[in-house]
Amino acid sequence: DIPRSGSDDMARSFMLERSVKELAGIRMLPQKVESTTQCAIVRFKSQQAAEFAINTLNGVPVSNDDGTTKFIGARTAHAPARAPGERQRLAMLARQKAAEKEKRKQEREAEEQQRKQEKMQRKWEKHMRKAQKEMMKQHALMYQAYMGHSVPAGVS
């Protein structure tokens, strides 16, 4: 909590007084409710500087404009800050990755369908060769019977 009347410069000098250095930027957050305090996002040039600031500032008492005392709550942000346009770029990359994944899936399905068709074609051709062979055998037997040759026993 920082007093509502605080500014970026006030927050910067408050930290420098406590040997918190390597500041990369400070941004005061807009108020969502009426309060005597406000929050700020502070960026540091290194992870070590951020950890030092958290350890140094967490729990430090601060006097507000109305005379009440609050304590600073310093912590690491839940998610890393993103550069302008970074979210859109990441979203675009995610959409591209999903599209590529879908394309690969469709290609695999098409290949599988092609393999199934080729397998059915081979089965059909094998069946037709067997049927043709059987038909030729029947024709040969009919020809032998027609010409007066005896048909071997067991063959019909």
Side-chain angles (χ1 to χ4, degrees), residues 73-145:
R75 63 177 172 79
T76 303
H78 293 294
R82 304 230 188 265
E86 184 71 5
R87 284 192 180 147
Q88 291 83 0
R89 187 182 73 77
L90 292 174
M92 183 183 70
L93 289 174
R95 285 190 300 273
Q96 287 174 344
K97 187 175 181 181
E100 289 170 2
K101 184 177 179 181
E102 181 64 25
K103 182 180 176 184
R104 286 191 303 272
K105 179 183 172 190
Q106 290 175 352
E107 288 171 350
R108 282 192 308 272
E109 289 172 352
E111 289 170 359
E112 181 63 26
Q113 184 67 26
Q114 180 69 28
R115 281 193 293 274
K116 285 181 181 180
Q117 288 176 346
E118 290 170 356
K119 184 177 179 181
M120 288 179 64
Q121 181 68 29
R122 286 190 303 273
K123 278 184 170 183
W124 175 252
E125 288 170 356
K126 182 178 178 182
H127 171 75
M128 292 305 292
R129 282 190 303 271
K130 185 177 178 183
Q132 188 178 18
K133 189 176 182 181
E134 213 32 63
M135 193 169 68
M136 289 178 74
K137 185 177 175 184
Q138 290 295 326
H139 279 25
L141 291 174
M142 287 172 49
Y143 180 74
Q144 287 177 351

Side-chain angles (χ1 to χ4, degrees), residues 10-75:
M10 187 210 83
R12 185 180 306 277
S13 44
F14 178 83
M15 286 186 258
L16 291 174
E17 289 170 6
R18 287 160 180 79
S19 299
V20 174
K21 300 177 182 174
E22 294 189 52
L23 297 172
I26 299 174
R27 187 177 87 171
M28 304 306 261
L29 298 178
Q31 297 265 324
K32 292 185 180 177
V33 294
E34 283 298 315
S35 176
T36 58
T37 62
Q38 62 183 341
C39 296
I41 293 178
V42 182
R43 293 188 185 175
F44 295 90
K45 294 179 182 176
S46 70
Q47 181 67 31
Q48 294 80 13
E51 290 169 3
F52 177 79
I54 291 169
N55 294 331
T56 303
L57 298 174
N58 202 21
V60 171
V62 178
S63 296
N64 291 317
D65 298 334
D66 65 355
T68 60
T69 300
K70 296 272 186 155
F71 299 91
I72 293 178
R75 63 177 172 79

